Amino acid sequence: MAHTGTHSQPVRSCLLLVVVSVCVQQVHGVWPLPQQLHQSADRGCLSPQRFSFTYGRDSAAQTGCSVLDAAFKRYFSIIFPDFTKGSENRLQYVWSEPQPFVVSVSVKTGGCDGYPDEDSDESYNLSVSEGQAVLRSVTVWGALRGLESFSQLVYQDDYGSYFINKTEIVDFPRFAFRGLLLDTSRHYLPLHAILKTLDAMAYSKFNVFHWHIVDDPSFPYQSRTFPDLSNKGAFHPFTHIYTQSDVMRVIEHARMRGIRVVPEFDSPGHTQSWGKGQPGLLTPCYKGGVPSGSFGPVDPTIDTTYKFMESLLKEVKFVFPDSYVHLGGDEVSFACWQSNPNVRKFMEKMGFGKDFTKLESFYMESIMNMTAALNRTSIVWQDVFDYHERIPQDTVLEIWKGEKYQAELSRMTQAGHRVLLSAPWYINHISYGQDWRNSYAVQPQNFSGTEEQKKLVIGGEVAMWGEYVDATNLTPRLWPRACAAAERLWSNEEKTLNADLAFPRLEEFRCELLRRGIQAEPLFVGHCKHEYDGL
Amino acid sequence: PFVLQLDEISLWPLPQKFQSSAVAFKLSPGSFQIVHAKQSSAGPSCSILVNAFRRYFEYMFGDLKKHEKSRKKVYDSDLAELQVWITSFCSLCVDELSVDEPSAVLKAANVWGALRGLETFSQLVYRDDYGANNINKTDISDFPRFAHRGILLDSSRHFLPLKVILANLEAMAMNKFNVFHWHIVDDPSFPYMSRTFPDLSQKGAYHPFTHVYTPSDVKMVIEFARMRGIRVIPEFDTPGHTQSWGNGQLNLLTPCYSGSSPSGTFGPVNPILNSSYDFMTQFFKEISTVFPDAYIHLGGDEVDFSCWKSNPDIKKFMVQQGFGTDYSKLESFYIQRLLDIVAATKKGYMVWQEVFDNGVKLKDDTVVEVWIGNKMEEELQNVTGAGFTTILSAPWYLDYISYGQDWQRYYKVEPLNFPGTDAQKKLVIGGEACLWGEYVDATNLTPRLWPRASAVAERLWSDKSVTDVGNAYKRLVQHRCRMVKRGIPAEPLFVGHCRQEYMGL
């Protein structure tokens, strides 16, 4: 395992007999890098027997706070993996009395039973001194981020003793929206693969799970209103679906880690699988004056389509608590619409001429309005902006096209829209070598525009599209490659421009992920103390 | 008998001769048996077959314990048993498999052929929509196109836990690979625990206890491979790629000089000291007894001459030997002495192509492995033209990844597509898919290797004419699902699903 920063000061420790032989002391990094971090060479010893988390007296949250109670339990095992595995070396305490260590957590506001949202304050202050750490935050979500940082500060020496250095951290995210997209349509991802991803997201301080849940190849979401969608549109109606309780589990697992779940129901394109369980929804394509038997995008010319979409979106609002819904709107092929005489008639009636982008616009506008009426904020892919003039102002636009994304950022923010950047972070695209460096080099606010415009960039997303990814290779392909974007979205850019400086810290973090059971692939030649022992 | 469900059958690699009819038989897990044929020269004492019978029964029907022998009704159309008949007299090494009621017969010249046939038989069994196991009336004669079908794993750049190596041996058997080329040590680490020189791993491994292969680990790998008809060829690459050797064996490596004083860094093995050869003699004596295979890979690639050039003693030696400034002559000097040492252990040897390219005088029976992608055809022509047996790995460096279906590129390679006589072509005895370890460890090795290496497997086993990528895709999709079902996390080829998805993590 790689260690950053070595100091050769005399070591103060509760383990005197062993310490005699220790002359080098390690300071451990935190990923993503906190906004302000001051570490001293002074270190203290932690003993699992005398370690505890507690709520500060002035904390608005106290025992019974679901989010933090669960986090204390989780982080105890993360910090002391040997303790829960029962293989801890007790011999060390024969020589000295273990000292207590208390992490006191204080939050200003309660909200333990709520969900994180776009306005959640994730800032925290962490102060580690002898025998104690004080963690202060505004919300429980900020406390979660602080607990994560705390857990990364603890390290074990070669004799198995746990240490933490005196540390002061003032931290807050650079961007409010730090997302990761998983695609469960091109390949079905078993629930445990999603839950595991959420665990790893929390370790990197991601806070939005963008669930691209359905698409052309399959419709695994089991709808309560339209059960036929998954009955007929999933790869298999029983084994390859997400039941309502599966979805609830994902949302709750995410909530416990301060992660929002934003579902995407992409239309009018990317909907082939919808058509199987909802006859009449998709546009019949024509060939030589007769229906060809194949189908195109959602049929935007008939009322039943909008009734269906409204019912579906109502259900989505009911099932997914987040205030955002992703409506897709990308890559709509006009060929099928063009072939269909009813669509052409409709175009004429509406005065759209031959401009099918107007038809697409008409459709997207309708469902964006529907979404607004349900008190939800729409996210759409950049295509919707590229082709349409009138987009409701509070719609969030997501940039996915690789070329010239800076120019697109300028245009969108100039038009006053909030923007998410994912174009440079399509990490389903793989290549030989250390491609995390490309992700790391991205500067999301480096485009021509005013300060006001820059503020409209609310964050970004790492996208792991599913063409070539399923449970067999998802985790090592995601981690630690996604960590590069995690740091870009959380940390101060000025302090994290140099990938070579980040490398040892990332290498260490990936070993920490392994230690926590996340199958993160290697960055380069080397080894970890605790290798992955799965398959 | 039922009608054949063609898309359920997906043999990989495709057998040489294959005839199947629409007549299907049921196999009942409760009563089906794999037995030794009466005439077989092998019996219950043949551990390889007995173990294989159990393994393939479990592949086909799942855990034995789940099947109480309670099924009362036996269909008329049931296939009751598979008889495995080792002939041992057969002069041609053609394995025959015929499936017809009431029993299927697998005829093979030896146990290794029987293992390949069992794999094929297991691939013929498919489950219908009612969950019943079926097999169609089938006749197969099969044999490999190339004798050497290898996978290279690199356990030096990253340590690979035993479990991962064993799992990949399993996957290799599913793809009829028969050589595990174990690139066991290299610059970054020396995980092989030597009995003769324990300091090599003590000081050269990433960790002397957790990141090593003990003698019993190595034994286990060899035995596990043997049970699956897989040879284990270890590679101890010298004189370059030996940085980790130097940690535990002082004075083995050449001290590099900066100006007129030693710089503190080291280069390749020091070829001018007798102690180097004494060491190699003892070391390879051990290796030759630990690894039973008739071949040892001696490496010999990428020797950097700059350190040798910097060292005054070496320069003096060059003059003495009359090598001038041609350091490939020094390399040649080293390799020739090494070959003598290894020849004395009665082993054959393989080397990387540079040894040939640099004009090292090789013994006639040296196997040369072609790995440099550029001008591969020319190299094959030259190596075989000089009369050397050859193995091709250049087009199959699977550690190089890219977006999309790169398996097709591996599949389209024709190893004998180089200018040369028939005699030259016969010298190409096979190929290897290499997964070097710069970016690979236990976390991502298996999905990165499978099913991409399966493309190489079919190229090396099946007839030259088997080149239809569309057909291969359909079979390979099924084959990868079969691997997933058997517990190998083989990654997807493209959008789609398997009935049983990978449940690990």
Side-chain angles (χ1 to χ4, degrees):
Chain A
M1 190 143 98
H3 301 299
T4 54
T6 51
H7 301 255
S8 51
Q9 291 199 7
V11 174
R12 197 167 40 79
S13 166
C14 41
L15 224 176
L16 290 169
L17 276 186
V18 172
V19 158
V20 175
S21 63
V22 178
C23 55
V24 175
Q25 148 176 14
Q26 311 134 343
V27 173
H28 272 228
V30 178
W31 193 281
L33 192 70
Q35 301 286 344
Q36 291 175 37
L37 167 73
H38 298 287
Q39 272 180 306
S40 112
D42 283 348
R43 68 177 186 178
C45 195
L46 305 184
S47 130
Q49 277 86 358
R50 305 290 307 273
F51 179 91
S52 63
F53 291 107
T54 176
Y55 292 92
R57 261 199 224 150
D58 57 342
S59 174
Q62 293 292 337
T63 305
C65 172
S66 59
V67 171
L68 291 181
D69 284 352
F72 292 168
K73 180 179 172 182
R74 210 162 58 235
Y75 278 107
F76 187 91
S77 303
I78 285 173
I79 294 168
F80 304 111
D82 305 350
F83 186 78
T84 43
K85 279 178 198 152
S87 64
E88 197 221 355
N89 175 17
R90 302 209 167 215
L91 193 74
Q92 55 182 286
Y93 301 111
V94 172
W95 309 108
S96 65
E97 189 61 26
Q99 300 299 306
F101 192 100
V102 179
V103 181
S104 152
V105 179
S106 295
V107 301
K108 269 216 180 90
T109 59
C112 294
D113 298 318
Y115 292 89
D117 62 32
E118 54 180 323
D119 300 320
S120 294
D121 186 330
E122 294 174 283
S123 65
Y124 68 91
N125 291 351
L126 176 65
S127 167
V128 181
S129 52
E130 192 172 344
Q132 66 163 349
V134 177
L135 172 60
R136 296 188 168 277
S137 67
V138 179
T139 66
V140 291
W141 318 119
L144 289 178
R145 305 296 167 244
L147 286 169
E148 176 55 42
S149 295
F150 176 82
S151 74
Q152 293 187 23
L153 291 171
V154 179
Y155 57 94
Q156 244 177 319
D157 68 6
D158 286 345
Y159 302 93
S161 303
Y162 294 97
F163 294 95
I164 190 164
N165 288 62
K166 272 194 174 170
T167 307
E168 297 290 330
I169 292 179
V170 176
D171 204 9
F172 52 88
R174 179 180 173 201
F175 293 106
F177 194 113
R178 304 178 307 282
L180 186 147
L181 176 151
L182 290 185
D183 168 3
T184 56
S185 172
R186 290 181 176 84
H187 284 99
Y188 176 78
L189 297 174
L191 201 62
H192 66 101
I194 296 176
L195 301 182
K196 198 94 179 169
T197 303
L198 290 167
D199 291 349
M201 284 172 67
Y203 302 152
S204 291
K205 297 192 172 75
F206 279 105
N207 70 348
V208 181
F209 170 37
H210 174 169
W211 195 351
H212 189 86
I213 191 166
V214 299
D215 203 305
D216 284 329
S218 77
F219 197 105
Y221 173 75
Q222 189 175 47
S223 159
R224 40 175 87 205
T225 325
F226 304 103
D228 270 356
L229 288 171
S230 64
N231 269 342
K232 298 183 178 165
F235 283 133
H236 188 282
F238 297 108
T239 61
H240 287 64
I241 56 165
Y242 302 105
T243 64
Q244 290 289 313
S245 79
D246 289 343
V247 173
M248 276 164 60
R249 232 179 114 187
V250 168
I251 293 169
E252 183 62 7
H253 197 90
R255 184 182 84 86
M256 284 296 177
R257 285 154 184 80
I259 297 170
R260 302 160 54 191
V261 178
V262 174
E264 177 179 353
F265 286 85
D266 190 354
S267 71
H270 288 280
T271 48
Q272 288 294 303
S273 68
W274 304 38
K276 293 178 186 158
Q278 189 63 21
L281 177 67
L282 303 185
T283 311
C285 314
Y286 277 65
K287 205 176 175 182
V290 288
S292 70
S294 66
F295 294 88
V298 164
D299 189 339
T301 69
I302 49 181
D303 288 344
T304 51
T305 292
Y306 298 97
K307 285 200 183 105
F308 167 81
M309 287 306 295
E310 190 163 17
S311 304
L312 183 68
L313 287 171
K314 266 188 188 150
E315 175 176 330
V316 168
K317 174 193 162 115
F318 180 79
V319 173
F320 293 91
D322 201 80
S323 65
Y324 284 36
V325 179
H326 204 303
L327 299 175
D330 59 319
E331 300 183 306
V332 182
S333 156
F334 296 145
C336 184
W337 280 348
Q338 264 161 356
S339 77
N340 183 301
N342 297 325
V343 173
R344 287 200 303 261
K345 209 179 288 166
F346 184 81
M347 293 279 290
E348 211 169 290
K349 194 181 102 191
M350 302 297 289
F352 292 163
K354 295 219 180 313
D355 186 355
F356 283 87
T357 65
K358 288 197 168 131
L359 181 59
E360 187 189 349
S361 186
F362 172 81
Y363 171 82
M364 286 309 293
E365 226 183 289
S366 308
I367 64 162
M368 283 188 280
N369 288 337
M370 251 177 229
T371 307
L374 291 167
N375 262 327
R376 289 288 189 261
T377 303
S378 306
I379 308 178
V380 293
W381 295 108
Q382 72 178 90
D383 315 44
V384 181
F385 172 80
D386 295 346
Y387 294 116
H388 316 317
E389 310 110 42
R390 292 171 301 170
I391 296 182
Q393 196 66 34
D394 69 335
T395 303
V396 176
L397 306 173
E398 181 161 11
I399 299 179
W400 67 274
K401 291 185 184 175
E403 315 107 50
K404 299 178 190 161
Y405 67 80
Q406 287 92 348
E408 186 80 356
L409 279 165
S410 282
R411 277 196 299 276
M412 286 175 168
T413 53
Q414 184 137 42
H417 287 290
R418 287 175 297 166
V419 182
L420 286 171
L421 184 63
S422 71
W425 290 315
Y426 265 39
I427 64 172
N428 53 307
H429 292 286
I430 53 169
S431 59
Y432 185 71
Q434 298 194 30
D435 58 1
W436 69 273
R437 288 169 185 269
N438 303 333
S439 296
Y440 200 71
V442 174
Q443 297 178 286
Q445 287 169 319
N446 187 14
F447 60 90
S448 62
T450 62
E451 282 309 303
E452 284 309 303
Q453 275 177 265
K454 310 250 161 138
K455 276 188 195 141
L456 287 170
V457 180
I458 58 170
E461 287 195 335
V462 166
M464 182 55 81
W465 294 99
E467 280 84 352
Y468 301 103
V469 176
D470 71 2
T472 62
N473 57 357
L474 171 76
T475 311
R477 201 162 281 201
L478 256 183
W479 311 106
R481 294 166 71 230
C483 301
E487 179 146 299
R488 182 56 57 241
L489 291 168
W490 178 281
S491 307
N492 182 318
E493 196 172 282
E494 296 295 314
K495 294 181 184 171
T496 54
L497 283 172
N498 188 329
D500 291 335
L501 287 180
F503 181 80
R505 196 161 40 87
L506 185 54
E507 218 177 19
E508 185 190 312
F509 183 58
R510 104 102 184 167
C511 286
E512 178 59 23
L513 290 175
L514 285 193
R515 189 166 174 258
R516 297 181 183 192
I518 302 296
Q519 192 183 344
E521 68 178 20
L523 293 166
F524 194 55
V525 175
H527 79 293
C528 296
K529 205 191 237 175
H530 307 273
E531 300 284 2
Y532 180 68
D533 66 352
L535 190 60
Chain B
F2 289 87
V3 175
L4 168 74
Q5 288 171 293
L6 253 182
D7 56 328
E8 295 282 356
I9 297 179
S10 52
L11 296 177
W12 193 280
L14 200 67
Q16 300 283 347
K17 279 185 195 148
F18 168 69
Q19 211 171 24
S20 187
S21 89
V23 181
F25 311 115
K26 292 258 182 294
L27 285 83
S28 153
S31 60
F32 181 79
Q33 295 186 66
I34 308 177
V35 299
H36 299 281
K38 279 203 190 87
Q39 314 90 319
S40 180
S41 59
S45 64
C46 175
S47 64
I48 289 179
L49 285 185
V50 175
N51 279 321
F53 291 178
R54 182 179 58 193
R55 195 164 66 243
Y56 281 103
F57 189 93
E58 287 184 10
Y59 281 161
M60 290 184 284
F61 307 116
D63 194 347
L64 264 169
K65 287 167 213 145
K66 286 186 200 154
H67 305 292
E68 303 284 316
K69 295 203 171 181
S70 61
R71 195 174 144 195
K72 280 165 195 143
K73 188 176 182 306
V74 176
Y75 295 111
D76 298 340
S77 57
D78 265 7
L79 187 74
E81 60 182 20
L82 169 66
Q83 297 182 4
V84 178
W85 179 2
I86 308 297
T87 61
S88 286
F89 308 113
C90 175
S91 55
L92 282 171
C93 275
V94 176
D95 306 322
E96 291 173 352
L97 176 63
S98 75
V99 179
D100 201 350
E101 64 178 320
S103 39
V105 180
L106 167 62
K107 236 162 115 178
N110 54 43
V111 288
W112 316 120
L115 290 176
R116 307 294 167 243
L118 282 166
E119 176 59 39
T120 306
F121 181 83
S122 75
Q123 294 190 5
L124 285 169
V125 176
Y126 60 94
R127 208 163 276 194
D128 64 22
D129 285 344
Y130 302 95
N133 294 292
N134 288 265
I135 191 164
N136 289 72
K137 190 170 163 13
T138 305
D139 282 288
I140 290 176
S141 334
D142 204 8
F143 54 89
R145 182 179 172 205
F146 293 103
H148 185 113
R149 304 179 305 282
I151 294 279
L152 176 149
L153 296 184
D154 169 1
S155 59
S156 172
R157 289 181 176 81
H158 285 98
F159 179 77
L160 301 174
L162 207 57
K163 192 165 152 182
V164 173
I165 294 179
L166 301 185
N168 280 284
L169 288 168
E170 298 250 36
M172 284 172 67
M174 295 172 199
N175 289 276
K176 297 192 170 73
F177 276 106
N178 68 348
V179 178
F180 170 36
H181 175 167
W182 194 352
H183 188 87
I184 190 165
V185 300
D186 203 305
D187 284 329
S189 77
F190 197 104
Y192 172 77
M193 196 187 272
S194 161
R195 295 165 199 262
T196 326
F197 301 101
D199 271 356
L200 288 171
S201 64
Q202 193 69 30
K203 298 185 177 160
Y206 283 130
H207 188 282
F209 298 109
T210 61
H211 288 63
V212 292
Y213 302 108
T214 65
S216 80
D217 289 341
V218 172
K219 219 170 170 178
M220 189 190 269
V221 168
I222 293 168
E223 180 62 6
F224 198 90
R226 187 177 80 90
M227 284 292 162
R228 285 153 186 80
I230 297 169
R231 302 161 52 195
V232 178
I233 298 183
E235 177 179 351
F236 289 89
D237 192 352
T238 66
H241 287 279
T242 47
Q243 289 295 303
S244 69
W245 301 48
N247 298 340
Q249 187 65 21
L250 297 182
N251 302 323
L252 177 66
L253 304 185
T254 312
C256 314
Y257 277 66
S258 162
S260 60
S261 52
S263 69
T265 63
F266 295 88
V269 168
N270 193 334
I272 67 168
L273 299 179
N274 279 330
S275 59
S276 294
Y277 301 101
D278 293 342
F279 167 82
M280 290 297 167
T281 305
Q282 286 188 68
F283 184 74
F284 278 103
K285 197 175 158 201
E286 170 183 328
I287 298 308
S288 69
T289 55
V290 170
F291 292 91
D293 199 79
Y295 283 85
I296 297 174
H297 203 301
L298 300 176
D301 58 320
E302 301 181 310
V303 182
D304 179 5
F305 296 148
S306 60
C307 182
W308 281 348
K309 283 180 192 166
S310 77
N311 184 302
D313 297 330
I314 299 229
K315 279 192 282 207
K316 206 180 296 166
F317 185 82
M318 294 282 289
V319 175
Q320 275 170 17
Q321 296 286 326
F323 292 162
T325 52
D326 186 354
Y327 284 83
S328 66
K329 285 196 174 133
L330 182 60
E331 183 188 357
S332 180
F333 174 85
Y334 170 82
I335 295 277
Q336 279 174 38
R337 288 193 65 173
L338 182 68
L339 295 187
D340 286 336
I341 287 167
V342 175
T345 68
K346 305 269 191 283
K347 293 282 186 186
Y349 28 76
M350 298 167 58
V351 292
W352 295 109
Q353 72 176 73
E354 287 101 312
V355 180
F356 170 82
D357 296 348
N358 289 351
V360 175
K361 259 199 215 129
L362 291 170
K363 295 175 185 291
D364 293 343
D365 55 348
T366 308
V367 179
V368 177
E369 181 159 9
V370 174
W371 71 274
I372 297 176
N374 184 20
K375 296 185 186 164
M376 166 189 110
E377 283 90 5
E378 202 182 308
E379 182 75 8
L380 284 171
Q381 189 186 1
N382 293 340
V383 175
T384 56
F388 291 107
T389 308
T390 307
I391 287 165
L392 181 64
S393 63
W396 295 314
Y397 266 37
L398 270 53
D399 49 322
Y400 292 114
I401 53 168
S402 57
Y403 188 67
Q405 299 197 34
D406 55 3
W407 70 273
Q408 299 189 359
R409 212 168 58 228
Y410 309 134
Y411 193 75
K412 286 174 185 161
V413 173
E414 170 44 54
L416 301 189
N417 196 12
F418 64 90
T421 63
D422 282 351
Q424 273 177 275
K425 310 240 160 151
K426 278 204 185 109
L427 288 170
V428 180
I429 57 165
E432 290 186 345
C434 301
L435 194 65
W436 295 100
E438 278 84 351
Y439 300 102
V440 175
D441 73 0
T443 61
N444 57 358
L445 182 143
T446 312
R448 191 160 289 191
L449 188 54
W450 309 103
R452 292 162 76 229
S454 303
V456 184
E458 179 150 298
R459 182 55 52 238
L460 294 173
W461 177 280
S462 305
D463 190 73
K464 189 178 177 178
S465 63
V466 179
T467 54
D468 181 340
V469 173
N471 174 279
Y473 177 79
K474 281 187 205 151
R475 281 182 297 118
L476 192 51
V477 164
Q478 304 257 21
H479 182 54
R480 100 97 186 171
C481 285
R482 178 164 48 226
M483 287 193 275
V484 169
K485 189 179 158 199
R486 293 178 181 185
I488 304 295
E491 68 178 19
L493 292 169
F494 194 54
V495 175
H497 78 292
C498 298
R499 192 185 286 185
Q500 277 173 263
E501 300 287 0
Y502 183 63
M503 278 304 163
L505 267 195

